[in-house]
Amino acid sequence: MATQLTLVGYARVSTADQKLDLQIDALKAVGCIEIFSDKVSGASTSRPELDACLRYLRRGEVLVVYKLDRLGRSLKHLIEVIDELKNRGIGFRSISDGIDTTTSTGRLLFSIMGSFAEFERDLIRERTNAGLKAARDRGKLGGRPIKINSEVGERIVELRGEGKTVDTIAEDLCLGRATVYRFLKSQLPHIA
């Protein structure tokens, strides 16, 4: 006789105006014994009911969602959550997407998704590094623009010329140390 897995559901809608009924009905239909639900945007980092759900789950149980996009803010976040579940001995199932990590096929599909997410991260990193290198080759420096008016700039140069340290200048002018360094480097690289 096969053991019945304990199913715990999670549902989410993006706004308070939307209804959870469809998701909750589907989660109940597959046998979820407990259902947690949030009414927050998918991009939100604060999802109290998801946090509570993840704390509630125990080894051997299965987290069930109606659709993958109800769980993760992004593919990267989704992979992280499901990897965490796997490490804790908890399965994952998405009703609409046909993914069930308690089966060999579901684990394969999830591994493929993870590979695509890693590939995407690598591509983004490569493009970012190539863009930064191209900018450096053209003489551009990265970082935030320096927002110092001419009066403050003149005072920085004057104080530095008097032998004041960057820390002292920053404190005297109520500026960040890094801001003073960036300004000096952009204006007078030889005295920074």
Side-chain angles (χ1 to χ4, degrees), residues 124-143:
I124 290 168
R125 189 178 314 110
E126 286 174 9
R127 285 193 300 260
T128 301
N129 289 337
L132 290 171
K133 182 184 179 317
R136 279 191 304 274
D137 290 348
R138 289 190 312 274
K140 305 271 186 205
L141 297 176

Side-chain angles (χ1 to χ4, degrees), residues 8-72:
V8 176
Y10 175 71
R12 181 186 60 79
V13 290
S14 300
T15 66
D17 296 343
Q18 293 176 319
K19 302 274 187 245
L20 290 160
D21 299 344
L22 170 72
Q23 294 177 55
I24 290 174
D25 289 347
L27 294 169
K28 285 179 180 175
V30 297
C32 290
I33 59 157
E34 186 76 34
I35 298 173
F36 295 81
S37 60
D38 279 315
K39 288 191 174 191
V40 293
S41 164
S44 175
T45 56
S46 173
R47 296 202 241 169
E49 286 296 300
L50 175 58
D51 295 339
C53 179
L54 295 174
R55 283 191 306 271
Y56 177 88
L57 286 159
R58 301 289 174 251
R59 179 173 290 282
E61 296 180 337
V62 179
L63 173 62
V64 182
V65 295
Y66 179 68
K67 262 185 106 161
L68 285 172
D69 66 355
R70 300 297 85 200
L71 180 62

Side-chain angles (χ1 to χ4, degrees), residues 75-87:
L75 182 57
K76 179 181 183 274
H77 178 248
L78 183 66
I79 302 286
E80 288 170 358
V81 170
I82 297 173
D83 273 344
E84 177 193 332
L85 293 173
K86 178 183 166 195
N87 292 337

Side-chain angles (χ1 to χ4, degrees), residues 108-121:
L108 172 65
L109 284 172
F110 184 70
S111 294
I112 291 169
M113 283 176 48
S115 297
F116 279 118
E118 186 177 340
F119 175 67
E120 180 182 31
R121 283 190 301 272

Side-chain angles (χ1 to χ4, degrees), residues 136-176:
R136 279 191 304 274
D137 290 348
R138 289 190 312 274
K140 305 271 186 205
L141 297 176
R144 288 187 301 197
I146 301 166
K147 294 185 179 179
I148 292 182
N149 64 34
S150 60
E151 183 181 312
V152 173
E154 288 172 13
R155 186 72 181 130
I156 290 172
V157 172
E158 179 183 315
L159 290 171
R160 188 65 172 160
E162 293 172 5
K164 302 276 185 184
T165 67
V166 170
D167 287 333
T168 304
I169 297 169
E171 190 175 313
D172 289 351
L173 300 177
C174 298
L175 296 171

